[in-house]
Amino acid sequence: MHESWKPVLQAEFEQPYFKELAKFLHSAYEQKTIFPPKQQVFSAFTTDLNQVKVVIIGQDPYHGPGQAHGLAFSVRDGVQLPPSLQNIFKEIHAETGAPIPNTGNLQRWAEQGVLLLNNVLTVEAHLAGSHRGKGWETFTEHIIQYLNEHCDHLVFLLWGRDARNKAKLIDAKKHLVLESAHPSPLSAHNGFFGNNHFIQCNEQLKKWGKQEINW
């Protein structure tokens, strides 16, 4: 993780809920196949806290082999694009005309100040949602509350129920909160396609005098 995050995360690691979560994770990684790899669980926090401009909240990591690497919606280079990510790229193309990339690795977004944070940071192989209710949701809420209180002028992109439930933690007078359906094929046609979030995000960043994101 980036140095800027260490005091924030250390405070969470010392909380009773996180100590229970850590025990669960230690056992899970010992006994089962868990994604992402242990050393990549906190990859979202390689984005400098002081440079964060946009926050995208995912659900839980991809549960197929070789996909998850700690950034919400992202997959490693060379991995086939998951359907949700395909739909994200389709929406960006529809809004901006940008070509659909050959890689689903969103590290390039993270380097521009996009925090790609899942609601739950780990998952058992082939079992979507298997690590819900273990403490990650509390962790994520605390991170969002910290960002809301200590950062100025962020854009939050909340797609789907899990992410939209976080809207209550965000001061919409201080930040821009954009909500829509999830980009999953099951829901993308119910409001994700055509949401214009990527254009709206950049327009707001420009108004605030911040560098726009090269999606």
Side-chain angles (χ1 to χ4, degrees):
M1 67 187 76
H2 192 274
E3 287 289 327
S4 58
W5 280 104
K6 286 188 175 177
V8 182
L9 298 190
Q10 194 59 46
E12 292 303 310
F13 296 161
E14 293 170 1
Q15 297 295 319
Y17 86 88
F18 199 94
K19 290 179 179 179
E20 288 300 312
L21 171 61
K23 286 180 191 174
F24 165 76
L25 291 173
H26 178 76
S27 176
Y29 273 98
E30 288 284 321
Q31 299 175 22
K32 300 174 182 178
T33 302
I34 307 299
F35 300 127
K38 195 182 295 186
Q39 66 272 22
Q40 295 180 330
V41 170
F42 295 104
S43 291
F45 300 100
T46 57
T47 299
D48 185 343
L49 170 58
N50 302 304
Q51 301 300 319
V52 172
K53 296 182 284 191
V54 181
V55 182
I56 299 178
I57 308 294
Q59 294 182 334
D60 55 352
Y62 298 121
H63 53 81
Q67 293 180 305
H69 65 128
L71 303 179
F73 294 106
S74 181
V75 291
R76 308 172 210 232
D77 293 321
V79 175
Q80 184 176 358
L81 299 183
S84 291
L85 188 54
Q86 289 182 37
N87 287 339
I88 289 170
F89 287 155
K90 285 178 185 176
E91 176 60 23
I92 292 171
H93 174 71
E95 292 183 30
T96 69
I100 292 176
N102 295 322
T103 177
N105 190 334
L106 302 181
Q107 183 63 38
R108 64 188 184 278
W109 292 4
E111 290 168 358
Q112 296 177 75
V114 181
L115 182 66
L116 295 157
L117 182 64
N118 276 317
N119 186 41
V120 173
L121 270 61
T122 56
V123 69
E124 185 176 339
H126 310 299
L127 289 174
S130 51
H131 285 187
R132 288 175 179 243
K134 305 297 184 182
W136 279 128
E137 294 90 343
T138 301
F139 173 82
T140 307
E141 287 195 0
H142 289 179
I143 295 302
I144 293 169
Q145 287 170 330
Y146 183 91
L147 291 166
N148 176 62
E149 292 170 15
H150 294 89
C151 299
D152 289 321
H153 304 320
L154 301 181
V155 180
F156 288 84
L157 303 182
L158 308 181
W159 304 327
R161 184 181 60 191
D162 284 357
R164 297 175 82 169
N165 283 341
K166 301 289 194 287
K168 63 182 180 290
L169 306 172
I170 305 164
D171 182 354
K173 294 178 181 176
K174 184 178 179 183
H175 308 289
L176 176 63
V177 180
L178 299 175
E179 300 183 44
S180 79
H182 193 273
S184 160
L186 299 173
S187 56
H189 289 280
N190 293 328
F192 179 78
F193 287 136
N195 65 18
N196 286 317
H197 280 187
F198 301 98
I199 285 179
Q200 289 183 67
C201 174
N202 275 347
E203 286 177 345
Q204 187 62 59
L205 290 176
K206 192 173 181 180
K207 286 179 184 175
W208 285 332
K210 298 188 177 189
Q211 183 71 36
E212 298 167 64
I213 305 298
N214 179 9
W215 301 110

